[in-house]
Amino acid sequence: MDKFTALEPTRLYSSSTSAINKRASRAQPISRWIGKLPADIHLLFLNHLPIPDIPAYARASRATAGLSRDEKVWERRWNDLAITRHALDDTLDDLESKQKPKASTRSPPTIPVDDDFGDFTSAPRTPSVPSLSAGFTPFTFTDASPGKQTFRIRYTRAHLILKKCLAPLQQPPHAVLSALIPLIGTSLLSQARSLHLLSFFLSPRVQPVRNWDILLAALKAATDRFDVSLLTAFDAADSRGDEVMMRQVAHASWEVWPGFGDWEMGKVWAEKREILYEQGRWNPLANFTDENTLDFTPMDEFMACVIRALEEHGTRAVFVFPPAAGVLIGFAERVANEVVGEYIAPLLTRAREISNALYLTAVAASFRESWRIVDVLTTVSSNFSSKGKDKAEDVVFMMFEPNMDEYLDEEIESLKQAFEVICKEWVRSTLALASHSSSTQAQQTRFLTAQNPALMKRTVLASFTDVLLLPVTIVPRTVGAGVVAVGGAVGGAVGAVGTGMVQGIAMLNPQRWVGGMGSVNNAKEYASFDLKDTEGEAAIFEIGADEEGGDDGVDGSSMAPSQTQLQLPLLPSIFGASQTNVASSASATNPTLAPTENLDLLLSSRYRDALKRLETFASYPGHYGTRVRETIEEAFCEMLGVLCNRHLEKGFGIATERMNSYKPAEHEETASVAPLLQFFELVHIGDTIQSMVQVFFDKELAPHIDKTDFLNVVVREKKHFENTLDECVAAGLNAGTQVLMNQVEHIILTLTKPREYYPPEDAPLELGSTQGCTEAIRCLDTHCKLLKGSTSKEVLEVFYQEVGIRLLAILQKHIKRQIISLNGGFQVIADLNAYYSFIASLKAGPHPLISVSNITADFSHLKMLGHVFVVEDAKDLAQIVRDVTRYGGAYRPEDIYEFIQRRADWKKIEKTVDKTMYNLSFKEDCIIC
């Protein structure tokens, strides 16, 4: 019995609670499954089910009836009517108001049914319109609250209203429109909006009746007839100039336009504008003068006529046509392509036949003139004032695109050819000038003869910055008052600049940088550079007192180079178009400036001309915008490459070669080294060129690139230019240091008398420096100060350290070459003290240049070494030689022993010194076997 368990008692009849739960379960929402399909699938069916089939679907079961009332189904149906999207609510209300009197006379009886299907109206089995389905009409929805506007209620209202307008569509095609007009309104706009609403109602997405496709075809035919009548009315109103009527007709036509293809009314209106058929009035070749130069006065007149037409017709288009129709932009495109584009094409073709430079100028000027279309569009319509301005700009961009590929390619090729011609001409002129220059003609050294080179550079850069801010004229005009027409040096490019530009060019004349501090000829050079407008210019480059320590004490007259001349490149004086005037004026007074000045003038001017033309297209979008930016970068890199490889690097190479081949013995001048002076002048010039390149980069090129992008080709090329310049300066400094020390050694050898340190016993004792020491120090001091302000502190430190090390070696070698007496030893000490004072002066002053403590200590030890020549007692001398701490470890006893061997009494004291130093006795310690 243990195997059987007792059965639990079960309830045979359900309680009232279970009955309540069962009734509640019946009232629960639709389950996830209806039959064998999920409810989502049924909703998907309902979304694509024609309206007449929805009542049949709802009668299938209670679940399908509940699902047919789902708001998601009716929200989609309401959205398919596009009433809210196209603001057709007022149109629907107007249709309802016209139908109310008729709808109130007959009210079909209804039979209340108490089930989940809702209320159904009793209607005749055969509808009044045989082609329409009566399946949806019997629905009257009473389950919603009176104030609640659900999507189901909205759609039902719209369906019942629009369905009453379908009866006329069964009339013959010629009578459909006449039968519809009493139902849809009297005004053109209300009729158009009603037809538009009916087209949505009979769309395949809604399918409100069984024969919706037949009715839709009839509606489209009626709409076409309506649109044709509108087009006729619009043409008549346009002929009368009735803009109000044109506006009404245009808005009605826009309402019934299906939204694809061209809008016929806007297209026809644009085609009838006279401006599109007046190309014969204008001659594009009239922009060329008899001298084959450009004068865009005829194009100004042509563009003025185009602008007037755009203003007149554009204003009318803005008033008449809907903004969404885009009639104004379409008309502007036709004017740009068929009128302006056809005018520009032969103009550019003719310019290309004359010269490439003229072609480049014509392209930029034509684009600038065409851009006036954008200005008038933004003025006529407010839709193009802010964000919509891109559409107006695209009109000109698309019109000009066929010319962009050829222009961008030609811009770079023309720039390369111009640079090549300029460099070859510079080389030819330099060689010709070098072969014909007289031996007495001195090379100008403006920076070296200036009282304050740093102030001069700042003045040049400030004026150069002002010149960059001057406006540039892209469109050539007829030469008039205050305007000077100038041509490019290569290819005959034509431009125009105002008097302000000419004055800016005059400010950067290299002849004026030195003010009154250069040679005597500077006054004549300054007077010759006139340009007929020199009032107030005399003090532009007036150099005042040195702001960084006063006069360096460098005498300009002592630095005049010898007969050896080097044609050094000068600064690019202007990034403008008037370089030929400046260069010719300077060359007329000083022919040595011609080949060197013109090179930088032409290089920089040609690039700035190209840059200003390219900047005209800087706002180009898309592919051509990228190409324009790439061309700007490529042009700048090309200029830097030519300036670096073909100009600066070559100039520094020639200077270095001249310094390496310089032989001091062949020149009488001892205070200065001509090649070294020229190299120092070149260092100043290179530093100023680098500063001007930086200014030009910051002012002109920085807006087009990202300066922080170290991978950018322009940033890398600029860095390469700076590194190359530093390497050239470093290589030149190495050769310059060598030639300077060769000159110093030559001065010491030639100016030191044979018995300078071994005077006669009865000769008076003078404790001043010798002539050789004085001249050597003067030569060193002159050249060391010349480099100040032209290079970095680190380079100066290396240069001065190298000078000190080599000077120390020269002095040691020079002392070992002499015979020094006791009285001459005092002369040696005097000279060593002078050399020590010179080395110590390099770091003296309120603004120390470098830290030369190690070199100063070495010269201090050398000065102490001079004491070995004035010690009379041999034993004391030996003790001094053995004291290694006396010289800070700089000299070993063996090194000092070599110096004391140059004493005049060495043979007398040699044994005593040796015995004292090494405790040697030759008689006792030396045994000969």
Side-chain angles (χ1 to χ4, degrees), residues 345-374:
L347 188 151
L348 298 183
T349 302
R350 176 57 181 163
R352 184 62 180 269
E353 295 174 355
I354 297 176
S355 69
N356 292 339
L358 200 66
Y359 167 75
L360 297 177
T361 304
V363 171
S366 301
F367 183 81
R368 180 64 64 85
E369 285 287 298
S370 304
W371 195 255
R372 295 168 63 182
I373 296 177
V374 179

Side-chain angles (χ1 to χ4, degrees), residues 299-350:
M299 188 170 184
D300 282 341
E301 299 175 358
F302 164 73
M303 288 303 301
C305 180
V306 172
I307 294 305
R308 286 195 299 269
L310 283 175
E311 288 178 348
E312 176 186 355
H313 301 304
T315 304
R316 176 172 295 181
V318 170
F319 175 76
V320 170
F321 299 104
V327 174
L328 175 59
I329 203 70
F331 174 65
E333 289 176 355
R334 293 199 60 180
V335 171
N337 294 321
E338 300 179 14
V339 180
V340 180
E342 294 296 328
Y343 183 90
I344 291 176
L347 188 151
L348 298 183
T349 302
R350 176 57 181 163

Side-chain angles (χ1 to χ4, degrees), residues 384-440:
F384 305 132
S385 58
S386 56
K387 295 182 179 179
K389 189 177 181 181
D390 295 341
K391 296 181 179 179
E393 294 177 350
D394 289 341
V395 172
V396 180
F397 287 146
M398 295 178 65
M399 179 270 295
F400 217 81
E401 275 186 3
N403 305 309
M404 289 303 296
D405 287 321
E406 183 180 5
Y407 164 71
L408 294 176
D409 294 338
E410 185 60 35
E411 191 72 75
I412 290 297
E413 291 301 322
S414 177
L415 199 62
K416 291 180 180 179
Q417 294 175 7
F419 286 165
E420 184 68 22
V421 172
I422 291 171
C423 291
K424 288 182 179 179
E425 180 64 22
W426 173 71
V427 172
R428 187 192 62 79
S429 302
T430 302
L431 295 176
L433 185 62
S435 61
H436 292 86
S437 59
S438 61
S439 59
T440 58

Side-chain angles (χ1 to χ4, degrees), residues 808-809 812 816 853-866 880-899:
L808 188 65
Q812 292 175 356
K816 293 178 182 179
S853 57
N854 295 335
I855 303 299
T856 306
D858 292 339
F859 273 86
S860 177
H861 299 150
L862 181 63
K863 182 178 67 171
M864 295 295 298
L865 184 62
I880 292 175
V881 172
R882 293 180 61 182
D883 187 7
V884 294
T885 60
R886 185 181 183 89
Y887 309 103
Y891 298 99
R892 299 174 301 172
E894 293 79 4
D895 298 331
I896 303 175
Y897 190 80
E898 294 179 7
F899 284 101

Side-chain angles (χ1 to χ4, degrees), residues 244-262:
V244 176
M245 186 62 184
M246 292 171 61
R247 177 185 176 89
Q248 295 177 0
V249 174
H251 281 71
S253 178
W254 178 253
E255 282 292 336
V256 297
W257 181 58
F260 52 86
D262 294 331

